[in-house]
Every structure is written in C-alpha cells, then in structure tokens.
Amino acid sequence: MAQLAPIATLVGTGASLYGTVRQGQAQAAQAKAQQQQEAANLAARQQQLAAAQQADARGRQDQLDRTMASTRARLAASGVNPDQGSAGAITAGLQQDAAEAAATSGDTYAARMAAGRSSLLNSDGSLTTWLRAGNSFGGAIRSLLD
C-alpha cells in the first residue's frame, strides 16, 4: 500500500498538469477570439471614420462652393470684377483657408489611422494609462487620509 502512494501522487500531479494545460489552451483560444473581434471592430470603426472624413470633405467643398458663389455674386452686383484686384484676393483667400482646413483635417485623420487608434477612448497600450491610473489612485488615497 505504501508503494501506491507515490504513484497516486504522480497521477494526481499529472491530472493537475493536464488540467492546467487545458485551461491555458482555453484561455489562449478565448484571447485569440477576443483579439479577432477587436480587430473586426477596429476595421469597422476605421471604415466609419473614412466615410465620415469623405462626408466632411464633401461638406467643406460644398460650403466653399456656396461661399464663393455668393461672394462673386455680391461683388459682381456691386460692379466689381470678382476675379481681379482685391476681389480676386478675397476669393483666393477663401480657397486657401478651405485648403488649409482640409489639409489639417486630413493630417489628423491620417495620424489617427496610422496609430491604429480610431478614437482617443481606445487604449494605446502604453504605460501612460497605468501611470495616470496610479496618479488617480494616489490622489484618492491622499483625499481619504486628509
């Protein structure tokens, strides 16, 4: 009987190791499925942002076209050639302002997509999040101690 105790211990250890390995495999499969879901969600959000970016660009262009048309109409109604002199400078300035706004918006969009963060609410995986949490926790402890 005494000889069976080490064998029973080995069998128990083997069963425990098997259970641990199976649990690890299940957790790895769950983590992989979660990563795939997050990747799909990110891709969908990026498509939404791309569509919103295009809609904003169209809206800005439409607004510019309306503004240019009304400015030219007012200048022409007052007897000024809208394409020459100071009137031309006004319309050129409107176009330049619109181009700068579009470039800024495009740069922001490109930076967000390059970083893989479609939203500032998404974690960036850096240590910054943990440091901020530590600061918040430290502040809460200090307020409790005061």
Side-chain angles (χ1 to χ4, degrees):
M1 215 32 140
Q3 295 172 350
L4 293 178
I7 293 172
T9 303
L10 284 175
V11 170
T13 303
S16 175
L17 284 173
Y18 178 76
T20 303
V21 168
R22 292 296 293 163
Q23 183 180 14
Q25 289 173 341
Q27 286 176 348
Q30 184 179 9
K32 184 177 179 181
Q34 186 177 10
Q35 286 175 344
Q36 289 174 343
Q37 181 64 34
E38 287 176 5
N41 288 343
L42 179 62
R45 180 68 179 140
Q46 287 177 339
Q47 289 176 346
Q48 289 174 346
L49 285 173
Q53 178 71 14
Q54 290 173 352
D56 287 345
R58 282 191 305 273
R60 280 192 305 273
Q61 186 61 44
D62 290 345
Q63 181 65 32
L64 174 64
D65 292 343
R66 286 191 300 272
T67 303
M68 291 292 292
S70 67
T71 302
R72 286 174 182 246
R74 278 183 296 196
L75 291 169
S78 63
V80 177
N81 186 352
D83 295 325
Q84 295 179 348
S86 60
I90 291 172
T91 56
L94 289 172
Q95 289 174 339
Q96 182 180 359
D97 290 346
E100 289 172 0
T104 301
S105 177
D107 291 345
T108 302
Y109 171 76
R112 287 173 68 187
M113 291 298 109
R117 291 178 66 190
S118 57
S119 172
L120 292 177
L121 297 177
N122 292 347
S123 174
D124 63 353
S126 70
L127 186 59
T128 305
T129 305
W130 294 104
L131 292 174
R132 287 184 182 155
N135 287 340
S136 297
F137 181 72
I141 295 297
R142 278 192 300 272
S143 70
L144 287 174
L145 293 175
D146 287 342

